[in-house]
Amino acid sequence: MSTPDLLYSEAEDDLRAAVRSLLADHCPPSAVLAEAEGHRPYDPALWRSLAAEMGTAGLLVPDKLGGQGATAREAAVVLEELGRAVAPVPYLTSAVLATTALLGCDTDEQHVARLLGALATGRAVGALALPLSTPPGGGTPPATVTARGDGALTGRVAAVAGAAGAEVLLVPAEGPDGYGLYAVETATLGAAEAPGTAETPAAPGAPGVTVEPLTPLDLTRPLAALHLTAAPARRLAGPDRARAAVGRALTAGAGLLASEQLGLAEWCLTETVRHTKERHQFGRPIGSFQALKHRMAGLWLELVSARAAARHAADALAADSPEVPVAVAVAQAYCARVAVHAAQECVQLHGGIGMTWEHPAHLYLKRAKSDEIALGTPGRHRDALAGLVDLPAPVG
């Protein structure tokens, strides 16, 4: 077994610099706040720059299928920066969850390859039709959708992240031949350009498909209930392969979500340190008070450990290591709590201004709390970890 590489490569540092520069220009806190007050599922202009022009949507997709042929390490770097900006883009849901599920299907089939190419080049946005809270492991998530012999789907899936504005919905369903993964295309996928414009994402328009927007805690990651009524679909994978594809997608999503949580926590600490240097009380910066120094120093130590856990998960996923389940469980069990703690400290140490809508601190707290239950809670991952390392919880 190889030793995990927790350091960033030069290529990863270059990718970080490029993504951070793009987000600084197109996704400042004021723009995120304005987007959160709007009614669009994501910022299509930002997504086009990030996914299509920069090519980050295809990092996990091999070159021959239209992607960049990179690994989970590079995708983790992108998610760190997106977490730092709480960027309103469907990267986790489309470029990670939906893309990984498709990669688990037979990519030699023309239909699968076409969908992968559309997602990898940013021509389309995908979503895996499972509740955002669905954790990896623990068996196949129960399907709430049924498929007829002709592939038409009927059923409802609650709290699907990224469903609003998605042109490709990947739906696990029970059919005549058992469990399967089906594709529902809500827009025609052109070869040259995305179905949506730079101003407006394409709205789901397939017959039998209704996307009901929900009111989420985190306004930068919309949720929706997906209603299917004899919706035309195409079967991508049969029982065994579909279960493996969905499981692989959930595992990759949970492991890389830790990098988003890391980036979020880093922004919160950096912004808190900056504020406490500038805010004066009793004739001196409040950051010079020993009690606040201790709180920020403790948070920095948590961040160092969170970075190690997130990088270990990303490296294990990139190497397809046997340690993936353990690395992902550790990363989610730890990084989720660190992100929430960092966001709470950011709000509290900003004082009154941290409680206002105009200051972006609340966006980070809401994203952190939302991420804490996404793809499994910390407690769920701790329980999974105990089973993986044969360390049962004490009885009584």
Side-chain angles (χ1 to χ4, degrees):
M1 186 180 301
S2 60
T3 302
D5 181 6
L6 306 185
L7 301 179
Y8 298 98
S9 68
E10 183 177 350
E12 289 165 1
D13 286 336
D14 290 343
L15 175 61
R16 178 192 306 283
V19 174
R20 185 174 296 187
S21 176
L22 172 68
L23 294 176
D25 290 341
H26 296 86
C27 192
S30 58
V32 178
L33 284 166
E35 191 69 27
E37 294 178 313
H39 301 287
R40 299 186 300 182
Y42 62 88
D43 182 344
L46 174 60
W47 175 246
R48 180 167 303 206
S49 297
L50 179 73
E53 296 172 10
M54 192 171 286
T56 61
L59 288 175
L60 299 179
V61 180
D63 297 340
K64 66 178 182 179
L65 295 172
Q68 307 300 318
T71 71
R73 290 176 59 94
E74 288 78 16
V77 170
V78 174
L79 279 164
E80 281 184 40
E81 293 307 310
L82 295 177
R84 287 179 62 93
V86 286
V89 292
Y91 192 86
L92 179 71
T93 52
S94 181
V96 177
L97 288 170
T99 296
T100 305
L102 281 173
L103 287 169
C105 301
D106 185 359
T107 56
D108 289 332
E109 288 191 7
Q110 183 178 2
H111 184 62
V112 175
R114 181 177 67 87
L115 293 178
L116 266 175
L119 265 59
T121 56
R123 300 197 312 271
V125 171
L128 180 60
L130 286 172
L132 181 59
S133 60
T134 306
T140 306
T144 58
V145 176
T146 57
R148 298 189 319 211
D150 60 358
L153 303 181
T154 298
R156 179 181 185 273
V157 188
V160 180
E167 292 86 28
V168 179
L169 300 171
L170 303 179
V171 186
E174 288 285 350
D177 298 322
Y179 191 84
L181 185 63
Y182 295 77
V184 176
E185 296 183 35
T186 63
T188 302
L189 306 185
E193 58 184 21
T197 67
E199 292 76 28
T200 307
V209 178
T210 302
V211 178
E212 175 192 354
L214 304 176
T215 302
L217 173 64
D218 175 16
L219 297 176
T220 64
R221 180 167 284 154
L223 301 178
L226 179 63
H227 300 267
L228 302 172
T229 306
R234 184 161 183 170
R235 193 166 183 256
L236 302 179
D240 293 339
R241 192 154 201 167
R243 290 189 180 94
V246 171
R248 178 181 173 184
L250 293 173
T251 299
L256 292 177
L257 178 62
S259 292
E260 177 181 288
Q261 291 162 333
L262 170 63
L264 184 155
E266 287 181 331
W267 183 91
C268 289
L269 178 58
T270 300
E271 175 63 20
T272 302
V273 170
R274 182 201 63 77
H275 176 76
T276 56
K277 285 181 177 179
E278 297 177 357
R279 177 77 168 92
H280 284 66
Q281 192 75 27
F282 306 113
R284 55 188 291 195
I286 62 173
S288 65
F289 299 150
Q290 190 174 36
L292 300 192
K293 285 182 179 180
H294 286 174
R295 288 172 67 172
M296 288 183 283
L299 186 55
W300 182 83
L301 290 174
E302 292 181 18
L303 271 175
V304 172
S305 297
R307 182 178 296 109
R311 291 301 294 167
H312 183 207
D315 185 68
L317 287 165
D320 198 18
S321 166
E323 290 294 309
V324 163
V326 171
V328 169
V330 169
Q332 267 307 301
Y334 190 75
C335 293
R337 303 302 294 268
V338 171
V340 171
H341 183 208
Q344 290 173 335
E345 292 288 77
C346 182
V347 171
Q348 291 181 12
L349 296 183
H350 272 76
I353 193 174
M355 305 290 181
T356 64
W357 179 266
E358 289 74 15
H359 194 280
H362 68 93
L363 295 175
Y364 289 83
L365 180 57
K366 292 170 183 174
R367 172 66 70 89
K369 292 296 289 184
S370 175
D371 282 357
E372 188 179 26
I373 61 174
L375 301 170
T377 63
R380 167 65 178 75
H381 287 285
R382 282 196 298 272
D383 289 344
L385 179 61
L388 290 167
V389 300
D390 193 22
L391 187 65
V395 179

